Amino acid sequence: MLRRSALALAAGLLAMPGAAWAQDADDQNTDIRVVGHRDPEGLLPDQTVPNAVSAISGDFIVKQAPTLNAFQLVNLLPGANVSSSDPYGLSTSSSLTLRGLGQDEIGVLMEGAPQNDIGYYYAYPSQFADPENLKQIALAPGGVDIDAPTVVGAGGLLSLSLDDPRARAGALVDLSLGSYAARRAFVRVDSGTIGKTGLKAFLSYSNTRADNWRGAGYDTRQHVDAKLLNEWGDGNRASLALSFNDANSSSYPSPTLADWKAEGRNFNYNAQYTPGNTNYWRLYRAPFRNLYASAPVHLKLGDRLALDSTSYLQFGYGNSPYGTELATTGNYLGTEALGPIALPGAVDGVATVLGNYTGDQARAGNVTKLTYQAGAHRITAGLWFDRGTDRVTQSYTSIGADGEPIDRWGYRAKAIRTADGRLLAYENQRTVTITKAFFIADQIAVTPRFAVDVGFKGVDVLRNGRTYLPGPQGKVRRDGFAALPRAAVHYALDDRQQLFANITTNFRPPNEFTLYNSYYAGEVVTAGTDALKNEYSVSDEIGYRFIGPSFSASVTGFHYKFRNRQLATVVDSGGAQVSSTLNAGGQTSYGVDAEIDYRPAHGVSVYLSGEYLHARIDDDLPVGGDFLPTRGKRAVSSPTLQFGGGGTYDDGRLFGSIAGKYVGRQYATFINDESIKGYATLDLSIGVHLADWIDGKRTDLRINAINVTDPHVLSGVQAVSTNARDVVGRGGTIISGSAPAYYIGSGAAVMATVSRGF
């Protein structure tokens, strides 16, 4: 029997290019309704929504390397372009683009609560829930749901759903060891149903440590997830989900193309400290602590009326530090010249210090909607309110003689002060963001097979801020409203085939830092403004779905039209990597997404996905007093072709998988004078279910091989630029070039995991 299983596994791996997994029957969480061979991955869940949606289920997730973050887990899905700086997904240096749109354009929800940064719109996947606790990750690349509490969404919506607590008490333990001295422990305890209350809960804890795969340094992560759930009556449910993350992550340096050609993977921070060295690795470790809480409630108020409400609360503090030098004289605070300051360890009036870029955020909100069924009409109306506070400081902290920071967290109380006791800071501000929205939608069942959806959402974003730096600026304010209509149609050709089409509008307010002045040597180098326009986009989709007993497929054509396209980048400011935004004017994109899920036999699954993307800049870009000739150029970070493929085998004893992804060429400048080549990655896994050989309780042993071909490549664009080389503008002036920066694709890694249920 073992020999026969092994031969079947080998045949399955050789025959199929991809990845998917199965899990023992007690833990299956699938939305698939089939008669033939069950889909063990949940990659094409049975959908009736009038827009493109892809997903992965807990059955897929639980067979992956347990450190992978949510971005890495959706890498196989159509249009998902993931750039990871480390194989384990622990570093904050990573990115996700969908259909060429960056992660600050992608709304992210976990248990219905927003995860995007309130000021800059980024989401940080290494902070999300542990993979063992995820029931599903759904990816809708065309836009966000009308009730989604997010102000970005042109790039789509990434939704994470936590697993429900088990009805029976139990425990799960995962122990992992891997390359680069990686080790991880995970423990989850389920209470089961508590007496006659109907309540059930789970609590989990994980601890992870791994050396950097390139250069000196290491990452640590401690994480806690918890969920309390009560269900009663006919579909009523209320839950409280908590997720706490405490990490100290390495920031991998991002090379220019010249750096990459000269040093390759040796482009790293220094392993040893010497006096005056600002490139020492301990000066680039980012500590963060975050707490997320979400309380979704669903109540049936009658046969035709239902209430859904999600309240959420978030706290976070972290530092993105860097090494730099300060002089005891010649400093400024905003526009004010300062006298001499005391700098511990200064030599000839200059000291190496830790530059801090700290963010201290608090956020609370609620989204509530009522849904009423009135004959052929299903009417939804709701409100969303969100208030967030963001305290951003760029200060400086002394370091010891060994290069160790006195305070790696960058707390203001321990930072360097001026002679009269004020905080010495390059940036020092507090912003309150208040978001208010209303929405109404009607789904009309014209016939049993044909439905029309119409909706409208109005969103107002108010920012009130204050800078604490001396100068011409004090308080700042920006208030903007966006009107977002939408419409969609859905037609069921029969029980298995569907057609759909939609038109959706999205917007993106300017980042909060665009409101504030920036200073250098006492002068205003960039003037803050409240006059920047919202990015606005109109997207269209038309698609076809087939959901069969052993074969499922989806094909979606899409089109986007942008005004005031905003592109996030990173600029170097005195050694600090500071977020910035470029206005790329208009942009037009169109393309096709496709995916296939085929299950030829029990325990065997094949998944294929692909995307063609045509993304072009519509306008010449204003630079200084001239225009850069960018009209018709390809949009940055928008590969024309992407392909993914996966295949799995599981006979109840042995299981295995193979997963591959190809990403085409990506441009890094608006003028298209610099790009990175296409590349491919390959992941493998093999495992054995040991329950039947031991005591019948879940016991799995698996080995995950990540990026086994280990290509030496640049995997994505970390910081775009207008032009890499000097260019003659439309007006005849010379527009100086600046080099973009890139992510270095992660190296290969192997991780072994033992999973045991109790």
Side-chain angles (χ1 to χ4, degrees):
M1 180 64 183
L2 179 59
R3 176 179 174 82
R4 183 178 179 182
S5 299
L7 290 174
L9 171 63
L13 290 178
L14 289 173
M16 301 176 293
W21 289 258
Q23 188 176 351
D24 54 5
D26 289 340
D27 293 325
Q28 291 168 1
N29 294 293
T30 179
D31 297 323
I32 305 301
R33 175 175 50 83
V34 296
V35 178
H37 302 298
R38 185 185 67 85
D39 180 358
E41 306 152 311
L43 288 164
L44 274 176
D46 191 355
Q47 297 283 354
T48 58
V49 294
N51 58 278
V53 179
S54 299
I56 57 175
S57 74
D59 298 302
F60 178 95
I61 295 168
V62 76
K63 296 301 189 293
Q64 305 298 310
T67 62
L68 298 188
N69 62 49
F71 288 178
Q72 292 171 307
L73 288 170
V74 300
N75 186 46
L76 279 183
L77 301 183
N81 177 16
V82 180
S83 299
S84 297
S85 292
D86 74 294
Y88 293 133
L90 298 172
S91 173
T92 57
S93 301
S94 65
S95 75
L96 167 68
T97 63
L98 290 176
R99 297 177 178 174
L101 303 176
Q103 66 193 65
D104 61 330
E105 299 270 12
I106 301 168
V108 180
L109 305 180
M110 186 165 68
E111 288 291 283
Q115 305 296 296
N116 300 78
D117 184 288
I118 59 175
Y120 312 106
Y121 310 130
Y122 279 88
Y124 303 97
S126 59
Q127 300 173 1
F128 299 165
D130 278 324
E132 291 93 338
N133 297 323
L134 292 176
K135 177 170 62 177
Q136 186 187 68
I137 304 177
L139 188 63
V144 300
D145 299 333
I146 197 169
D147 59 342
T150 175
V151 295
V152 294
L157 183 67
L158 183 71
S159 301
L160 290 79
S161 301
L162 290 185
D163 188 22
D164 285 344
R166 309 295 190 209
R168 298 177 60 183
L172 174 68
V173 177
D174 284 355
L175 300 175
S176 304
L177 294 174
S179 306
Y180 315 112
R183 59 179 184 267
R184 180 180 186 267
F186 170 89
V187 179
R188 167 171 160 163
V189 178
D190 283 81
S191 68
T193 303
I194 303 172
K196 297 181 180 180
T197 65
L199 292 169
K200 50 186 177 180
F202 78 74
L203 175 67
S204 73
Y205 169 78
S206 69
N207 190 306
T208 307
R209 186 197 183 281
D211 289 344
N212 289 3
W213 74 272
R214 65 180 177 93
Y218 61 93
D219 296 321
T220 60
R221 178 181 186 267
Q222 295 187 86
H223 192 90
V224 176
D225 290 322
K227 187 174 182 179
L228 177 68
L229 172 67
N230 193 13
E231 297 174 295
W232 69 96
D234 182 19
N236 298 307
R237 62 181 279 146
S239 63
L240 173 63
L242 301 172
S243 189
F244 172 75
N245 195 73
D246 183 350
N248 198 3
S249 305
S250 298
S251 299
Y252 290 91
S254 298
T256 64
L257 197 57
D259 294 329
W260 172 249
K261 291 178 179 178
E263 300 184 55
R265 290 180 170 181
N266 293 321
F267 185 78
N268 299 310
Y269 297 121
N270 299 137
Q272 303 296 327
Y273 178 74
T274 55
N277 183 3
T278 61
N279 205 44
Y280 180 46
W281 70 271
R282 290 187 183 275
L283 305 180
Y284 294 87
R285 301 193 69 217
F288 280 88
R289 287 195 184 112
N290 307 84
L291 174 65
Y292 300 95
S294 177
V297 176
H298 175 76
L299 298 175
K300 292 193 68 175
L301 304 180
D303 293 338
R304 298 182 178 183
L305 185 64
L307 171 72
D308 290 276
S309 179
T310 300
S311 299
Y312 54 87
L313 182 66
Q314 302 170 6
F315 298 99
Y317 180 87
N319 188 15
S320 298
Y322 57 95
T324 188
E325 289 186 335
L326 276 181
T328 56
T329 59
N331 295 295
Y332 290 84
L333 197 60
T335 57
E336 179 184 332
L338 298 175
I341 58 175
L343 292 177
V347 177
D348 296 328
V350 176
T352 302
V353 297
L354 183 74
N356 304 301
Y357 196 83
T358 62
D360 189 353
Q361 292 192 356
R363 184 178 189 181
N366 172 271
V367 57
T368 296
K369 67 178 181 179
L370 285 169
T371 303
Y372 181 68
Q373 188 72 47
H377 297 266
R378 188 170 186 266
I379 301 170
T380 299
L383 299 171
W384 171 39
F385 177 81
D386 182 287
R387 186 185 191 277
T389 302
D390 189 17
R391 183 74 158 88
V392 174
T393 307
Q394 192 172 169
S395 61
Y396 306 94
T397 300
S398 298
I399 65 174
D402 58 355
E404 183 75 27
I406 301 301
D407 170 37
R408 61 188 175 92
W409 287 94
Y411 291 127
R412 293 189 296 274
K414 300 181 180 180
I416 294 170
R417 299 272 165 169
T418 64
D420 57 2
R422 290 176 294 170
L423 181 70
L424 181 64
Y426 176 81
E427 188 174 359
N428 191 357
Q429 63 214 31
R430 180 180 183 270
T431 310
V432 176
T433 302
I434 297 175
T435 306
K436 294 177 285 186
F438 67 91
F439 53 89
I440 186 168
D442 187 7
Q443 183 181 80
I444 308 166
V446 181
T447 72
R449 292 188 179 274
F450 180 59
V452 176
D453 290 43
V454 292
F456 180 85
K457 186 174 186 177
V459 185
D460 182 86
V461 179
L462 169 65
R463 296 197 197 273
N464 279 312
R466 178 186 176 186
T467 178
Y468 298 95
L469 297 179
Q473 191 178 51
K475 295 182 178 180
V476 299
R477 188 178 190 273
R478 184 187 188 277
D479 194 359
F481 178 82
L484 305 173
R486 60 174 59 200
V489 295
H490 178 270
Y491 181 67
L493 297 172
D494 53 36
D495 291 342
R496 295 181 178 178
Q497 299 182 86
Q498 306 169 27
L499 295 175
F500 64 86
N502 63 69
I503 180 169
T504 306
T505 54
N506 292 282
F507 87 115
R508 179 187 186 277
N511 293 335
E512 69 177 38
F513 58 77
T514 59
L515 294 170
Y516 295 96
N517 291 346
S518 60
Y519 303 92
Y520 182 76
E523 301 292 333
V524 177
V525 293
T526 302
T529 177
D530 60 0
L532 291 179
K533 296 180 179 180
N534 292 332
E535 174 186 283
Y536 195 83
S537 65
V538 180
S539 64
D540 319 292
E541 288 184 331
I542 182 168
Y544 167 82
R545 288 194 193 99
F546 179 87
I547 305 293
S550 297
F551 177 85
S552 302
S554 176
V555 179
T556 305
F558 57 87
H559 174 269
Y560 294 85
K561 187 70 174 179
F562 285 89
R563 296 200 310 264
N564 300 306
R565 173 84 165 93
Q566 296 179 21
L567 286 171
T569 186
V570 177
V571 297
D572 187 283
S573 177
Q577 298 297 300
V578 179
S579 297
S580 184
T581 299
L582 299 174
N583 190 324
Q587 179 178 316
T588 301
S589 304
Y590 61 81
V592 178
D593 285 339
E595 54 185 334
I596 294 172
D597 188 19
Y598 177 46
R599 303 170 296 279
H602 177 70
V604 177
S605 179
V606 178
Y607 176 81
L608 299 172
S609 71
E611 178 179 89
Y612 167 76
L613 174 64
H614 180 281
R616 296 293 186 270
I617 300 171
D618 294 339
D619 303 307
D620 289 337
L621 185 70
V623 178
D626 205 341
F627 287 86
L628 194 67
T630 54
R631 180 189 294 268
K633 299 294 185 181
R634 294 187 183 184
V636 296
S637 302
S638 301
T640 301
L641 293 174
Q642 293 187 71
F643 298 103
T648 64
Y649 173 84
D650 192 328
D651 67 0
R653 290 285 181 88
L654 292 180
F655 59 89
S657 69
I658 178 172
K661 183 68 180 281
Y662 169 79
V663 179
R665 177 182 296 274
Q666 301 178 63
Y667 284 92
T669 64
F670 294 163
I671 200 67
N672 291 175
D673 60 352
E674 191 167 297
S675 64
I676 57 175
K677 298 178 180 178
Y679 68 94
T681 59
L682 181 67
D683 298 339
L684 301 170
S685 76
I686 189 168
V688 58
H689 302 296
L690 300 172
D692 292 343
W693 294 343
I694 304 177
D695 56 6
K697 296 181 179 180
R698 173 182 169 181
T699 308
D700 294 340
L701 171 63
R702 72 180 184 272
I703 298 176
N704 296 97
I706 306 167
N707 200 21
V708 292
T709 55
D710 196 18
H712 288 49
V713 296
L714 296 172
S715 62
V717 185
Q718 191 259 354
V720 301
S721 74
T722 56
N723 49 299
R725 304 180 184 90
D726 293 350
V727 173
V728 178
R730 297 291 191 192
T733 63
I734 301 297
I735 300 175
S736 299
S738 60
Y742 302 93
Y743 296 106
I744 294 178
S746 66
V750 177
M751 176 165 278
T753 301
V754 176
S755 182
R756 171 70 172 170
F758 297 94

